[in-house]
Amino acid sequence: MTDPIEINRRNWDERATIHARDITGFYALDRVRSNEEGLRAIEAAELGDISHKRVLHLQCHIGTDTLRLVRLGAIVTGLDFSAEAIRTARRLTDEAGLKADFVEGRVDEASQLTPGPFDLVYVTWGTICWLPDLTVWANAIATVLAPGGELYFADAHPSFAIMEERDGKLEPTHDFQTPVDRPLEFTNETTYTGDQTVMINQSTREWMHSLSAIMEALIGAGLAIKMFHEHEVLPWQGLRIMVPSSDGRWRLPDGHPRFPLSFSLKAQKEQ
Ligand SMILES: C[S@@+](CC[C@H](N)C(=O)[O-])C[C@H]1O[C@@H](n2cnc3c(N)ncnc32)[C@H](O)[C@@H]1O
């Protein structure tokens, strides 16, 4: 097996099965079902009113954020290439008594599988590192957006993503831009939720993308950058040295030089 996307799909299918059990409570599935969990603070502060908007949630995973968007009044389609993730998302939607469409497919197939038009494309947390080519990503988004429609995007900052932790110290370890044909290879025995189930498909292929690669891809696809923010927090404990912030997110410890851990942006298609 050499196709990096297929290697990742097998890994995500297995993770999705583990995440659906949620024995560590990482995904707070009971709270998602009973509407006790809203969007994370960054998105909640920046997204604005999405009621009655047609939303495409790319890389929706098991649908937890998809349902949060539905509860904000949007008409939402979730897309993910993991059949297991989509199965769980559909089940969770039924259990929550909500309505959302889910499509199994790759991001680069979005414009064929979900022809839109959409008012908003929503992409957050742990997304573009799985995609080799952001030109393809940005064009897929631009194709499905209605004129005047927007992308909302939030994810890990490249200045954080290139770091690895060794003996409690952060070391820049990866180049900030990974060549399309030479993905980084990672092996993880377990998933990131704290569940200790050992996976069979432990290998992944990932790509670092620089801020300029992201911006150039979006601008090249005809989207105008309307908002860009850098944040000192992440929604998950990305490195062991990170400590919880007062609002349940994660930040660098006091005294550590600050650098952005995440960023968010809005980009708009021409009217
Ligand atoms: C970390 S999760 C993203 C979290 C998600 N945004 C959420 O709302 O919880 C990454 C997701 O990307 C999906 N994925 C990875 N590569 C993909 C691709 N090429 N096309 C579609 N989905 C992909 C995986 O199946 C996984 O569900």
Side-chain angles (χ1 to χ4, degrees):
M1 166 65 55
T2 52
D3 175 9
I5 303 300
E6 182 55 22
I7 289 170
N8 289 342
R9 199 188 57 71
R10 290 179 185 204
N11 175 267
W12 275 109
D13 262 349
E14 201 169 346
R15 283 181 200 254
T17 308
I18 297 168
H19 297 172
R21 292 198 292 267
D22 201 29
I23 58 171
T24 61
F26 182 95
Y27 278 100
L29 293 190
D30 286 337
R31 291 166 64 78
V32 170
R33 282 187 198 92
S34 57
N35 192 19
E36 289 168 60
E37 278 270 320
L39 289 175
R40 297 170 200 86
I42 291 176
E43 304 90 293
E46 295 177 340
L47 192 58
D49 181 8
I50 61 163
S51 55
H52 307 299
K53 287 197 175 170
R54 298 161 296 179
V55 177
L56 176 60
H57 182 195
L58 287 180
Q59 295 175 257
C60 65
H61 195 42
I62 56 174
T64 47
D65 272 356
T66 319
L67 296 191
R68 293 178 177 119
L69 297 171
V70 171
R71 284 197 161 106
L72 292 172
I75 304 140
V76 193
T77 301
L79 176 143
D80 200 286
F81 75 171
S82 159
E84 283 304 325
I86 292 295
R87 216 186 320 278
T88 301
R90 289 190 177 127
R91 195 179 64 235
L92 205 56
T93 306
D94 288 345
E95 288 166 355
L98 296 174
K99 229 173 120 343
D101 282 332
F102 290 97
V103 175
E104 181 189 327
R106 297 188 314 267
V107 168
D108 58 280
E109 299 174 309
S111 55
Q112 292 108 62
L113 298 177
T114 61
F118 294 96
D119 305 305
L120 175 73
V121 174
Y122 185 86
V123 185
T124 59
W125 308 119
T127 53
I128 55 171
C129 62
W130 304 105
L131 307 180
D133 186 340
L134 291 192
T135 309
V136 175
W137 171 73
N139 282 324
I141 291 167
T143 306
V144 298
L145 277 175
E150 277 193 337
L151 163 71
Y152 178 80
F153 177 52
D155 215 328
H157 198 288
S159 66
F160 153 77
I162 61 160
M163 298 288 179
E164 295 283 351
E165 188 173 338
R166 293 211 178 86
D167 303 325
K169 290 223 159 59
L170 300 189
E171 286 180 6
T173 305
H174 308 291
D175 289 343
F176 76 134
Q177 179 66 54
T178 312
V180 170
D181 57 349
R182 274 183 287 129
L184 300 169
E185 303 188 9
F186 295 102
T187 303
N188 286 295
E189 284 191 354
T190 58
T191 187
Y192 48 78
T193 60
D195 188 314
Q196 291 306 303
T197 305
V198 175
M199 296 187 290
I200 297 162
N201 298 287
Q202 298 178 356
S203 195
T204 56
R205 302 289 182 270
E206 297 181 38
W207 291 265
M208 301 282 161
H209 299 290
S210 65
L211 286 183
S212 59
I214 297 164
M215 301 294 183
E216 282 166 16
L218 293 172
I219 294 165
L223 302 179
I225 309 296
K226 294 291 181 177
M227 179 207 92
F228 177 75
H229 291 154
E230 292 173 301
H231 308 277
E232 288 187 25
V233 289
L234 262 187
W236 70 95
Q237 187 181 17
L239 299 162
R240 275 189 316 253
I241 63 161
M242 286 167 57
V243 296
S245 62
S246 49
D247 56 8
R249 294 176 290 170
W250 296 85
R251 62 174 176 81
L252 291 166
D254 290 339
H256 195 287
R258 309 229 111 20
F259 61 85
L261 300 177
S262 60
F263 72 100
S264 51
L265 62 79
K266 286 183 180 175
Q268 189 176 32
K269 184 165 166 172
E270 253 182 31
Q271 290 285 351

